[in-house]
Amino acid sequence: MKKFMISIAAICATLFFVSCGGDSTNPTKADDPDQTTDTDQTDPTTTEDPTDNPTDPTTTEDPTDNPTDPTTTEDPTDTDEPTNPTDEPTTEPTTDPEGCELSDLEKEFVGTWAQKIILRSSSSTTMAQNVPSVTTRYIVTEIKPDENCKLDFFKKGNQICRTANRTGFAGKVSQGRVGFNEEDGSKFNTIFHHWKPYQIPGHESDTYLEIAEEGGEKTFKLNKDWELRGANMTDPSTEPMIDSDSDSRIFDHDEDGNPAFSILFTSSLASGTMYYVQRLSHILTGKVVADGKIEGTVNWTDEQYAHQKTPNLTLRGQKTTETDETKSVFQLVKVDDSMDCETLLGNADTIFDIVDPNSDVPHSDKYGE
């Protein structure tokens, strides 16, 4: 009986390795394609979006270079003395929108938008197969011209406001949760490398935000961007994913004294911290469905590697994730420019009305969203 209970505990713990959804994605599909920080969160009114490339969009510098000094030529894979990844230079456009000659269509999109993203995936490890997971992200975003008067897309205050996750098993919510937010002591929502398409080497002329109008329909597309936690990369679109502790690109990204990036998992049978590397990509494709409201689907990928120093051995190693674009959706709602994370989270039920297509992975008052 004792051996049986230990086995059950190991399998359940494995379920939380970790469906961060974008939290999040398919590690083998490089063609497929954004939580509030916690105890050490930067002031959203004084720092730029951590998901924006830490270098100036007009520069050709390596986006994975240490974000504290955009002029450095230091090797981004040098992890001997990582600097504070939260101290990132500005990427905000210096041109006032009123100073740009925008089309009437562009003017309709300029402003502040509350964003809700729902990401569906199925993950497998050696201990558990095809475990469904749903991750929800809340973000305050801005659409405004860059210094060249070209519309660009930004996360306001350098952060994802909140990330929630629920994991299903045998038709039920497994008794566990992943700690992404401030109350969990995580910096998941405010510390991560980010590349927009034009910040990938050799793709400087690529477009991030595309809007168009045809036949009376207004379309919206946010082309593939990349998120990375726990490691440095020069080109996340082509470099191989981390698959061993010896990879020199791994570093203490959240500066907590442990390798890679730390996330807390909690379950009814096991709890602990996982030190992991996560690479995500997203493509948002949608259309205007009403004045000030955009809806669409998310094509995304998620790759994760857990460092062998992760205390719980059942969580170590590689996780494979298959994402489901048909059940990964987003909604953007235009809001007042004064909107911040606190206001968004306090009014999310009234701001958003997008239907979650993942009723088969139910919510849980204790562990779910």
Side-chain angles (χ1 to χ4, degrees), residues 107-122:
K107 291 177 182 177
E108 290 183 28
F109 284 85
V110 170
T112 301
W113 298 77
Q115 183 180 34
K116 181 175 182 178
I117 304 177
I118 302 172
L119 301 169
R120 172 63 178 259
S121 64
S122 178

Side-chain angles (χ1 to χ4, degrees), residues 128-321:
Q129 300 292 311
N130 302 318
V131 179
S133 176
V134 179
T135 298
T136 305
R137 292 176 149 191
Y138 298 92
I139 313 164
V140 180
T141 59
E142 295 176 295
I143 296 176
K144 53 189 176 183
D146 63 14
E147 59 186 9
N148 298 312
C149 288
K150 183 177 181 179
L151 287 192
D152 208 341
F153 193 84
F154 302 87
K155 291 182 183 66
K156 190 175 182 180
N158 295 329
Q159 63 181 319
I160 301 166
C161 296
R162 184 169 185 83
T163 300
N165 174 268
R166 62 189 197 267
T167 301
F169 180 66
K172 300 179 180 179
V173 173
S174 67
Q175 292 299 295
R177 65 184 296 275
V178 180
F180 294 123
N181 302 291
E182 184 172 12
E183 59 268 28
D184 305 303
S186 173
K187 299 178 182 179
F188 185 93
N189 295 316
T190 55
I191 296 181
F192 47 100
H193 295 313
H194 179 258
W195 294 260
K196 297 178 181 181
Y198 58 76
Q199 293 167 330
I200 298 293
H203 294 266
E204 290 78 10
S205 62
D206 287 3
T207 299
Y208 188 31
L209 174 62
E210 294 182 23
I211 58 172
E213 183 172 14
E214 184 175 355
E217 183 175 84
K218 299 171 184 177
T219 60
F220 170 98
K221 184 175 183 180
L222 203 63
N223 287 305
K224 182 182 283 189
D225 60 353
W226 298 84
E227 266 179 45
L228 180 66
R229 295 175 176 83
N232 283 311
M233 291 185 183
T234 299
D235 185 347
S237 68
T238 61
E239 290 186 35
M241 178 57 183
I242 306 295
D243 60 7
S244 73
D245 294 359
S246 62
D247 196 310
S248 62
R249 294 173 295 172
I250 298 175
F251 76 112
D252 181 5
H253 199 161
D254 51 0
E255 297 185 329
D256 65 350
N258 298 305
F261 200 99
S262 300
I263 282 188
L264 176 69
F265 69 89
T266 304
S267 75
S268 57
L269 296 175
S271 298
T273 302
M274 182 173 70
Y275 311 136
Y276 85 127
V277 176
Q278 181 188 40
R279 177 169 63 180
L280 308 171
S281 69
H282 312 79
I283 298 175
L284 307 184
T285 305
K287 61 183 180 180
V288 175
V289 296
D291 288 343
K293 185 180 293 186
I294 302 168
E295 292 181 0
T297 57
V298 186
N299 186 311
W300 61 290
T301 66
D302 180 21
E303 300 168 83
Q304 296 178 29
Y305 172 77
H307 198 279
Q308 296 301 306
K309 287 188 178 180
T310 295
N312 191 318
L313 62 86
T314 64
L315 299 179
R316 300 172 188 168
Q318 215 84 26
K319 185 185 81 167
T320 60
T321 303

Side-chain angles (χ1 to χ4, degrees), residues 1-13 127 269 314:
M1 178 61 74
K2 182 176 181 180
K3 291 183 178 179
F4 175 75
M5 291 303 294
I6 292 174
S7 298
I8 291 298
I11 292 173
C12 291
M127 297 293 291
L269 296 175
T314 64

Side-chain angles (χ1 to χ4, degrees), residues 10 13 17 28 38 59 61 80 95 102 106 116 122 128 168 175 185 206 221 246 286 324 326 340 348 361:
F17 172 82
T28 61
D38 316 311
T59 183
E61 284 180 18
D80 290 337
T95 302
L102 303 177
E106 289 175 321
K116 181 175 182 178
S122 178
Q175 292 299 295
D206 287 3
K221 184 175 183 180
S246 62
D324 187 345
T326 65
D340 56 17
V361 183

Side-chain angles (χ1 to χ4, degrees), residues 97-109:
E98 282 72 24
C100 294
E101 295 183 3
L102 303 177
S103 68
D104 290 341
L105 178 62
E106 289 175 321
K107 291 177 182 177
E108 290 183 28
F109 284 85

Side-chain angles (χ1 to χ4, degrees), residues 74-87:
E74 192 171 319
D75 184 352
T77 63
D78 183 357
T79 61
D80 290 337
E81 296 182 14
T83 55
N84 186 352
T86 64
D87 185 16

